[in-house]
Amino acid sequence: MMGTRPRGFFVVAVIAAWLAAAVGAAAQTTNAAEAVVVYPLQSGDPAVVVDVLRGFLGGNVKVVYDATRNAIIVMAPAAIQAQAAAIVRKLDVPPRNVRVEVRFRRHTTDFGSGARVSGPPMPIVQNSGPNRSRISFRPQAGSRTVQASENTVQTLMVMSGRDASLRIGESVPYLDWIVEYGLAHKHLVERIDWRNVGSSLVVQPTVIGDGPAIRIRLIPELSGFVGADMRRIRMASLATEVVVENGRTISIGSIAQNREFFSRFLVGSDRGAAADTLDISLTPYIINAAGTPLK
């Protein structure tokens, strides 16, 4: 049976394929002597640079980040170092702003209850005196289910490598299931006695080099009150990642790596009885120095 690839493997593979076209193919050499080269970073995201170098150069090349010097250290043959240098130059650029257009398609189911008079009516005759009577109608208790769809668009402006939150719901219809799932799969470490729990999706866009590739990381987050204190829990181990080109639209439901979890997490509700099933699509745009989207 084939082994399971590590999470994020395909994201790194996509970045590596894109860089292969941007940087060029590796030069062939018979010189296998190892060299240790330090690449100082000026503006690049170290985590992105390390991930891309490892994915592009292969598992036999050692790549580490030295936080004291803010530098990437690569141990590899000289010919590989030429590739590493080209990749670092491509990625070590000042952070760019990313405008993310978020389109929500809400499928709302409103489970209401109340009293109504429905036919045929049920008359009640009451004697109120000689030759007089009063007729009234007894309301029948009932329930109603109203379904509707709505499209809305929200815009986020985020610096590359930073994050912004999308509110899913003020309350979480599947909270018990989400908590049990999180505990069973070690995504949560404890059960919390909290109230007024809402759900959000944290969006982290990172421009790869100067574009057009953008890595987007989506992290589910729960927030609520424990006593008088607000607590937030980011379930980072359930994050979904994808690489998308500038201006391309992606649907969250189609890329989520934990489909069972997200099928319930992407259902929110307000403080009433309405429950929204959300189809969410994202379109990221790299914003250039002039403040306009990159073409």
Side-chain angles (χ1 to χ4, degrees):
M1 183 173 66
M2 295 180 61
T4 302
R5 296 188 187 277
R7 187 176 66 84
F9 174 84
F10 293 105
V11 173
V12 172
V14 171
I15 298 175
W18 171 76
L19 276 172
V23 175
Q28 300 297 318
T29 181
T30 57
N31 180 14
E34 292 274 314
V36 178
V37 179
V38 178
Y39 299 97
L41 295 179
Q42 301 297 322
S43 306
D45 184 331
V48 172
V49 177
V50 169
D51 282 351
V52 173
L53 283 170
R54 287 174 177 168
F56 187 75
L57 301 179
N60 295 327
V61 175
K62 186 175 182 180
V63 180
V64 297
Y65 172 60
D66 182 354
T68 60
R69 291 185 284 181
N70 190 33
I72 304 295
I73 301 175
V74 179
M75 181 180 292
I80 301 298
Q81 295 291 356
Q83 288 184 79
I87 291 171
V88 172
R89 284 196 301 271
K90 185 71 176 176
L91 299 181
D92 189 22
V93 296
R96 309 285 290 273
N97 286 330
V98 180
R99 190 182 76 204
V100 182
E101 291 185 0
V102 185
R103 185 174 298 275
F104 294 88
R105 181 177 174 84
R106 297 178 179 269
H107 306 281
T108 302
T109 303
D110 187 0
F111 301 100
S113 62
R116 68 182 186 274
V117 175
S118 62
M122 299 176 62
I124 303 172
V125 180
Q126 296 175 321
N127 293 324
S128 57
N131 301 320
R132 296 174 60 190
S133 63
R134 185 175 63 191
I135 299 177
S136 59
F137 293 90
R138 176 181 297 162
Q140 296 178 342
S143 62
R144 59 184 171 82
T145 300
V146 179
Q147 295 184 330
S149 294
E150 177 188 8
N151 288 320
T152 59
V153 178
Q154 186 179 142
T155 301
L156 305 173
M157 185 69 77
V158 192
M159 179 179 288
S160 176
R162 304 292 179 86
D163 57 55
S165 291
L166 297 174
R167 192 66 166 170
I168 302 299
E170 294 182 11
S171 62
V172 185
Y174 292 103
L175 179 60
D176 290 342
W177 185 94
I178 289 172
V179 170
E180 294 300 329
Y181 181 92
L183 292 171
H185 294 82
K186 311 300 182 185
H187 303 301
L188 296 174
V189 297
E190 62 177 337
R191 193 182 302 277
I192 302 174
D193 183 18
W194 56 9
R195 56 188 174 80
N196 297 339
V197 182
S199 57
S200 301
L201 199 61
V202 178
V203 181
Q204 292 180 340
T206 302
V207 179
I208 308 301
D210 54 2
I214 306 167
R215 180 170 69 175
I216 296 181
R217 192 165 187 247
L218 304 169
I219 309 172
E221 180 180 79
L222 297 174
S223 60
F225 286 92
V226 179
D229 299 325
M230 169 65 75
R231 180 178 295 191
R232 296 181 182 275
I233 296 180
R234 289 189 179 182
M235 305 172 74
S237 55
L238 282 167
T240 284
E241 292 185 3
V242 66
V243 174
V244 60
E245 288 199 2
N246 176 61
R248 180 185 168 195
T249 300
I250 56 171
S251 171
I252 291 178
S254 66
I255 65 171
Q257 281 124 19
N258 299 279
R259 298 289 182 89
E260 184 181 16
F261 173 84
F262 276 94
S263 68
R264 290 170 172 81
F265 186 81
L266 295 178
V267 177
S269 67
D270 57 23
R271 293 302 177 193
D276 291 337
T277 302
L278 303 177
D279 293 334
I280 303 176
S281 60
L282 308 177
T283 308
Y285 297 93
I286 301 171
I287 303 302
N288 60 27
T292 59
L294 183 70
K295 299 296 185 181

